[in-house]
Amino acid sequence: MRRPLVAGNWKMHGTRTSVAELITGLRHLALPGGVEVAVFPPCLYINQVITGLEGKPIAIGAQNCAVEPMQGALTGEVAPSQLADAGCTLVLVGHSERRLILGERDELLGRKFAAAQSCGLIPVLCVGETLEQRQAGRTLEVVGRQLGSVIEGLGVGAFARAVVAYEPVWAIGTGLTASPQQAQEVHAAIRAQLATENSEVARGVRILYGGSVKAANAAELFGMPDIDGGLIGGASLNADEFGAICRAAGS
Ligand code: PEP
C-alpha cells in the first residue's frame, strides 16, 4: 500500500545557526518505521542539511526549481539537475505562496514539474483553494483545474513518480485546519480525477494534506483513507513537534 510521507517545508526560515540546531534536533528523533520523512530547507542551506543529516533516513527536497532542467543562462534560478547533483530527491512545485505572491501559473508549473522529473526528482505538486473560492463553492473546480493542467500537459502517467499535496490556502500558516472530513473530500476528488485516466496511478499516488498541521491534529487527519501524510510548514521548524507528527503518520 501507500507509504505515508511527512515532509517539512521550512519556507524562507533559518540561519546557519538555527539550521544547525534544527539538524541536531532531527538527528535525535526516533522516527517511525514505515513512514518516509523529508525536509525542504531554503536552497542556501540544502548542502548543510544534507551533510548534517548524513546517515539519518530523512530525504531532502528543494522548495522550487527552474523551468529548464539543465544548468545554463537563467540568472537567479536553480536547475533541477543541480538540485539532484546536490543530493535532493524531491522538489515542491506550485506552493500557494509562489502561485499567489509570485504569480506562478499552471502552465509554468507544468514545465517545472516536467523539468524536475526529467532529472530524476520527485515533484510534489501543491494544489489548493483560497477562502474566497471555498466560500463560493469552487474548491473542487479550482483543485481539479490545477491538477488537470499537469495531467493534460504531461499525461496521467507522470503521477506514477510524483506526490500531490492538498493545501487549502486559508489553512496555511493561519492556525485554521481543514477538518479531516473537509480534507478527505478533496483528497478523494483528487484521486478520483486521476482514476478516470488510470486507476493504478490513482491508487498508488500519495496525496499529502498541508495547512496548520501539528502534533495535536495530525493523527486524526492522517487517519482518513485518502490522506497519505502531510506537508508541514511552521510545525516543522520544531524538531520535537515534527517528530511527533511523523510518529502520528506511523500509528
Ligand atoms: C506550508 O507552507 O506548506 C504549510 C502547510 O504551512 P503551515 O503548516 O505553517 O500551515
Side-chain angles (χ1 to χ4, degrees):
M1 267 315 281
R2 297 183 297 269
R3 187 175 185 217
L5 168 62
V6 177
N9 172 16
W10 296 359
K11 311 196 190 201
M12 197 172 63
H13 292 291
T15 60
R16 276 186 300 168
T17 304
S18 71
V19 166
E21 285 164 6
L22 197 41
I23 289 170
T24 303
L26 291 172
R27 286 204 70 86
H28 284 105
L29 288 181
L31 294 172
V35 176
E36 197 178 327
V37 177
V39 292
F40 294 75
C43 215
L44 203 53
Y45 302 117
I46 282 173
N47 196 40
Q48 186 184 351
V49 176
I50 286 177
T51 307
L53 290 180
E54 215 178 319
K56 192 84 185 167
I58 298 180
I60 315 295
Q63 298 172 18
N64 178 42
C65 68
V67 289
E68 296 297 337
M70 307 311 286
Q71 59 176 302
L74 196 43
T75 303
E77 289 294 281
V78 179
S81 61
Q82 293 173 312
L83 295 172
D85 180 50
C88 290
T89 53
L90 299 144
V91 62
L92 299 183
V93 174
H95 190 279
S96 62
E97 285 150 13
R98 299 195 63 86
R99 288 181 188 265
L100 297 171
I101 301 172
L102 300 173
E104 292 195 351
R105 307 187 77 94
D106 289 333
E107 188 268 335
L108 177 102
L109 297 172
R111 290 174 63 198
K112 290 190 178 196
F113 189 109
Q117 278 192 332
S118 76
C119 297
L121 298 175
I122 302 284
V124 179
L125 178 71
C126 304
V127 297
E129 82 288 2
T130 62
L131 184 59
E132 218 179 23
Q133 290 164 335
R134 174 162 281 267
Q135 286 171 340
R138 296 183 51 219
T139 298
L140 298 186
E141 171 209 324
V142 169
V143 170
R145 190 206 69 229
Q146 292 168 338
L147 180 70
S149 152
V150 178
I151 300 174
E152 242 169 68
L154 306 176
V156 72
F159 286 89
R161 291 176 296 119
V163 172
V164 179
Y166 168 56
E167 300 202 297
V169 177
W170 48 272
I172 294 183
T174 58
L176 297 172
T177 314
S179 69
Q181 294 71 25
Q182 281 174 319
Q184 167 59 26
E185 184 196 7
V186 181
H187 283 233
I190 290 170
R191 207 177 298 288
Q193 186 174 352
L194 292 165
T196 59
E197 308 258 348
N198 186 321
S199 57
E200 200 184 322
V201 168
R203 259 197 312 276
V205 72
R206 288 176 296 181
I207 308 174
L208 313 184
Y209 170 77
S212 298
V213 176
K214 29 190 189 294
N217 59 22
E220 223 193 334
L221 285 158
F222 298 163
M224 302 308 280
D226 287 295
I227 300 185
D228 306 310
L231 182 54
I232 320 301
S236 70
L237 296 170
N238 177 315
D240 290 335
E241 180 83 6
F242 185 62
I245 295 170
C246 294
R247 287 190 290 279
S251 57

